[in-house]
């Protein structure tokens, strides 16, 4: 078990299976020392636990938890490419998309779910640049989607 997975276990979490692609793409690809994930939905055992817009059908607190699930799915996608999450030198960038009600402006707080998880699991290696974007709709009516880019240790 990698140190990263041991830390997940310490937090009461397990790395899920990689979410299969919903269309024509790969969950993650490596280019040089970087791994880029596709946008990860908050799928749990093949299903979305909640659907709808944040600020309408979904509370910001629920969405923050879903962003955390997205980050776990992103780590699983990274592992599927590199084999060992201990190879992560740092998370470089996180991009979070939040399906938002027209008057919802709390996207950064929602995407904190992903950022906080990466920090808890990876420590200083999890500190990253980030964008949190409100959108009209996401695939499958998901409330949130997160993608990450990581740099690998040489």
């Amino acid at each position: 078990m990698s140190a990263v997975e041991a830390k997940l276990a310490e937090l009461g979490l397990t790395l899920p299976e990689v979410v299969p692609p919903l269309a024509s793409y790969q969950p993650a690809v490596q280019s040089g020392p970087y791994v880029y994930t596709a946008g990860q939905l908050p799928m749990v055992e093949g299903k979305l636990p909640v659907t709808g817009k944040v600020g309408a059908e979904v509370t910001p607190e629920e969405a923050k938890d879903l962003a955390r699930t997205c980050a776990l799915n992103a780590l699983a996608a990274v592992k599927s490419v590199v084999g060992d999450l201990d190879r992560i030198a740092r998370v470089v960038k996180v991009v979070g998309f939040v399906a938002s009600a027209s008057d919802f402006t709390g996207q950064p707080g929602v995407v904190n779910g992903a950022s906080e998880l990466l920090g808890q699991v990876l420590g200083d290696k999890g500190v990253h640049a980030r964008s949190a974007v409100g959108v009209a709709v996401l695939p499958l009516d998901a409330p949130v989607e997160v993608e990450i880019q990581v740099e690998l240790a040489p």
Side-chain angles (χ1 to χ4, degrees):
M1 176 183 294
S2 73
V4 172
E5 289 179 86
K7 184 64 178 178
L8 284 167
E10 182 182 310
L11 296 169
L13 302 169
T14 56
L15 202 62
E17 294 295 317
V18 176
V19 176
L22 300 174
S24 183
Y25 62 88
Q26 295 297 310
V29 296
Q30 181 176 349
S31 180
Y34 299 98
V35 176
Y36 302 84
T37 72
Q40 300 294 310
L41 300 179
M43 302 291 265
V44 177
E45 297 179 2
K47 296 188 291 191
L48 288 173
V50 179
T51 59
K53 306 280 185 290
V54 181
E57 301 88 1
V58 181
T59 69
E61 296 77 19
E62 288 173 312
K64 184 177 179 181
D65 286 342
L66 294 170
R68 182 179 171 98
T69 300
C70 291
L72 277 173
N73 290 340
L75 288 173
V78 170
K79 182 180 178 186
S80 75
V81 171
V82 302
D84 183 357
L85 292 176
D86 288 346
R87 292 188 57 204
I88 295 173
R90 86 166 304 152
V91 177
V92 177
K93 178 89 187 244
V94 172
V95 180
F97 302 95
V98 181
S100 303
S102 62
D103 62 344
F104 182 72
T105 60
Q107 293 83 7
V110 169
V111 181
N112 277 350
S115 294
E116 291 169 3
L117 174 82
L118 294 168
Q120 289 173 321
V121 172
L122 297 165
D124 289 342
K125 295 177 183 181
V127 177
H128 53 268
R130 187 182 87 179
S131 299
V133 182
V135 298
V137 67
L138 288 168
L140 306 178
D141 200 24
V144 65
E145 179 176 343
V146 172
E147 63 182 54
I148 68 173
Q149 293 94 43
V150 301
E151 182 180 9
L152 301 176

